[in-house]
Amino acid sequence: SQQGEEDPQALSIQEGENATMNCSYKTSINNLQWYRQNSGRGLVHLILIRSNEREKHSGRLRVTLDTSKKSSSLLITASRAADTASYFCAPHGGSNYKLTFGKGTLLTVNP
Amino acid sequence: DAGVIQSPRHEVTEMGQEVTLRCKPISGHDYLFWYRQTMMRGLELLIYFNNNVPIDDSGMPEDRFSAKMPNASFSTLKIQPSEPRDSAVYFCASRLAGQGNNEQFFGPGTRLTVL
């Protein structure tokens, strides 16, 4: 498995604005997942994008994947205070089931 | 389903004491993962099991750490003796092989403080 690196480390926005977080990785992947972690809780799976997909939507979430640049982005539209959390990407390649997480992006949505 | 269950939720102990963390994965899941999260190092995979067998323990920091999975519904992570630098939040996660979305389900974590 390989580790994704999220950028920025922290992001503060106003409610209603869009939030964009980025993830870079180093080697080829089969898929890439995004997870959310609310303060004091475990990680929750948000969305998975496969290596042959370029964009995927789920509600207010939009994920893009550029395998040539080895990068992904997570866009949260019309953010809410409840979106305040840390967001982690997990690029996955190979046949094992390991996931390796970076340090995440801490998103703060101010009401 | 109750999700992944971890106990205790909080543990405070003194240096040198033995600590045992417990995890009950989601029923039917055949993979179980133990992670440790700290501000400095982020979220680290310690060990994972498949069908109760340890597959990769390369993340276990040292011999003071050991993990077991005696059956499909229970796993323990033991630290003996504990040290202050072991203070962290320990998460257990499980998944079902063959699931197309590769999703892991995390428990709420155990916050360990070693004084």
Side-chain angles (χ1 to χ4, degrees), chain A residues 35 37 48 50 98 103, chain B residues 31 37 40 56 100-101 104:
Chain A
Y35 285 77
Q37 183 181 31
L48 176 146
R50 300 187 191 285
K98 285 172 64 169
K103 293 191 176 180
Chain B
Y31 279 82
Q37 187 175 37
M40 289 293 292
D56 186 341
N101 64 6
Q104 291 187 16

Side-chain angles (χ1 to χ4, degrees), chain B:
Chain B
D1 198 324
V4 175
I5 299 172
Q6 292 187 247
S7 65
R9 292 296 310 278
H10 302 272
E11 176 83 25
V12 180
T13 191
E14 294 191 344
M15 183 174 63
Q17 296 297 305
E18 178 179 295
V19 174
T20 299
L21 311 181
R22 297 172 175 79
C23 175
K24 177 178 167 54
I26 292 173
S27 177
H29 282 192
D30 51 0
Y31 279 82
L32 183 140
F33 306 82
W34 281 101
Y35 293 89
R36 176 174 68 175
Q37 187 175 37
T38 61
M39 289 291 292
M40 289 293 292
R41 302 175 67 92
L43 191 64
E44 305 171 277
L45 175 65
L46 300 177
I47 185 172
Y48 77 95
F49 295 82
N50 175 222
N51 291 325
N52 315 337
V53 177
I55 302 301
D56 186 341
D57 65 354
S58 59
M60 296 285 263
E62 46 196 281
D63 292 345
R64 297 184 297 107
F65 286 70
S66 62
K68 293 182 180 179
M69 193 164 185
N71 57 62
S73 58
F74 184 64
S75 177
T76 59
L77 178 67
K78 187 176 292 188
I79 308 172
Q80 166 63 18
S82 58
E83 296 181 4
R85 60 194 168 116
D86 302 331
S87 296
V89 182
Y90 291 81
F91 290 100
C92 175
S94 68
R95 65 153 289 164
L96 180 62
Q99 273 187 321
N101 64 6
N102 208 30
E103 176 182 356
Q104 291 187 16
F105 295 81
F106 282 73
T110 295
R111 182 174 295 276
L112 173 65
T113 302
V114 183
L115 303 174

